Amino acid sequence: MRAEELKANLKSVEERVSAACARAGRDRSEVTLIAVSKTKPIEDLQVIYDQGIREFGENKVQELTGKIPEMAEDINWHLIGHLQRNKVKYIVDKVKLIHSVDSYRLAEEINIQAKKHGIIVPILIEVNAANEATKFGVRLEEAKQLCEEIAHLENVHIMGLMTIAPNVVVPEENRAIFHKIKDLSVDIASENIDNIDMRIISMGMTNDFEVAIEEGATHVRVGTAIFGERNYNI
């Protein structure tokens, strides 16, 4: 029964993504759906994997490193939660994209660890567009400068921006936030800075991903709408 529920949830989310793309005049292929599987068991992830999903997001390093060996090797793992510098070494060579870089010191540590593995690590700059005290991320007006500073690091590559919008009841309330991130992305891209590529905008979660898509999101991070409510007791 659980498997059927998950399949139905995913189908519904896919339909909503497609509908949002259509409303925005965008092709469905322009939006990557990341299944956010934090606190969920391997069995649940496997069901979603079997439906063709290959992009999975985790918030915590420990949970991510525990799940990777249990799942297929062709999964693209996304670290979307706050990353502490002392945890970078555990995931730097295991993830497709780090969404949550919000300081030069964190980028510097990623660069150090990437050099050890002889790799270039794709990252996103996390922007706290609403200036919420409880959220991580660089302020909107400081994002471009941070990008310019990080761009000098040889073993990281800035692929775009990420934001976590406020938790609102009415998704429409976040439209202005998403619009600001899109505008910032265009602004930074227009500078043509070496080692900065603004092709990714990671924004939108279960309660507001449709508005995010309409405002230009390329990656949406959906957990609850696919897997159900999180279990915080594990």
Side-chain angles (χ1 to χ4, degrees):
M1 182 65 92
R2 172 64 174 163
E4 295 308 312
E5 178 189 342
L6 291 171
K7 290 178 190 176
N9 288 350
L10 179 61
K11 184 171 184 287
S12 172
V13 168
E14 287 282 6
E15 289 170 351
R16 290 167 62 190
V17 169
S18 295
C21 287
R23 286 194 299 274
R26 302 177 65 191
D27 193 271
R28 172 64 186 87
S29 63
E30 294 177 36
V31 178
T32 298
L33 173 62
I34 300 172
V36 179
S37 46
K38 54 187 175 183
T39 79
K40 297 302 174 182
I42 292 296
E43 294 78 15
D44 285 6
L45 276 69
Q46 190 62 49
V47 172
I48 299 303
Y49 175 89
D50 290 342
Q51 298 303 300
I53 297 295
R54 295 295 180 269
E55 312 290 328
F56 285 84
E58 288 288 339
N59 271 51
K60 296 182 177 178
V61 168
Q62 188 173 356
E63 192 170 356
L64 178 69
T65 54
K67 284 176 176 174
I68 288 174
E70 300 292 322
M71 296 294 293
E73 291 184 0
D74 65 340
I75 287 177
N76 295 315
W77 294 97
H78 298 254
L79 194 282
I80 62 176
H82 179 63
L83 179 58
Q84 295 172 295
R85 294 199 307 280
N86 63 352
K87 301 282 182 67
V88 170
K89 60 188 175 187
Y90 300 115
I91 56 102
V92 73
D93 61 331
K94 296 178 174 65
V95 297
K96 178 186 182 184
L97 185 62
I98 298 174
H99 289 234
S100 48
V101 177
D102 60 356
S103 71
Y104 180 81
R105 291 182 70 193
L106 175 57
E108 188 177 42
E109 181 61 27
I110 294 170
N111 191 61
I112 290 168
Q113 298 301 328
K115 279 184 178 177
K116 292 180 181 179
H117 291 277
I119 58 176
I120 295 174
V121 178
I123 65 170
L124 302 181
I125 302 303
E126 181 175 359
V127 182
N128 186 349
N131 289 333
E132 291 184 276
T134 56
K135 297 245 176 82
F136 293 101
V138 64
R139 293 166 66 93
L140 201 70
E141 57 271 22
E142 297 167 354
K144 187 190 292 188
Q145 182 181 343
L146 180 60
C147 284
E148 291 170 347
E149 292 169 359
I150 292 173
H152 296 293
L153 299 172
E154 295 175 352
N155 287 68
V156 299
H157 181 51
I158 299 173
M159 297 290 290
L161 305 175
M162 181 271 241
T163 197
I164 301 173
N167 185 15
V168 294
V169 175
V170 182
E172 192 64 34
E173 292 178 17
N174 280 336
R175 187 176 295 277
I177 296 289
F178 296 141
H179 192 78
K180 285 178 183 177
I181 295 296
K182 173 64 176 177
D183 281 352
L184 177 62
S185 171
V186 171
D187 183 31
I188 294 173
S190 70
E191 301 278 339
N192 291 315
I193 304 165
D194 285 347
N195 202 25
I196 295 179
D197 182 346
M198 284 286 128
R199 76 177 67 177
I200 294 178
I201 303 177
S202 171
M203 61 186 185
M205 300 191 292
T206 284
N207 68 331
D208 58 14
F209 69 83
E210 289 145 305
V211 175
I213 289 170
E214 291 168 8
E215 291 300 326
T218 65
H219 289 57
V220 291
R221 311 178 304 271
V222 181
T224 304
I226 296 174
F227 293 103
E229 294 296 329
R230 287 180 218 128
N231 176 8
Y232 288 104
N233 297 319
I234 67 167

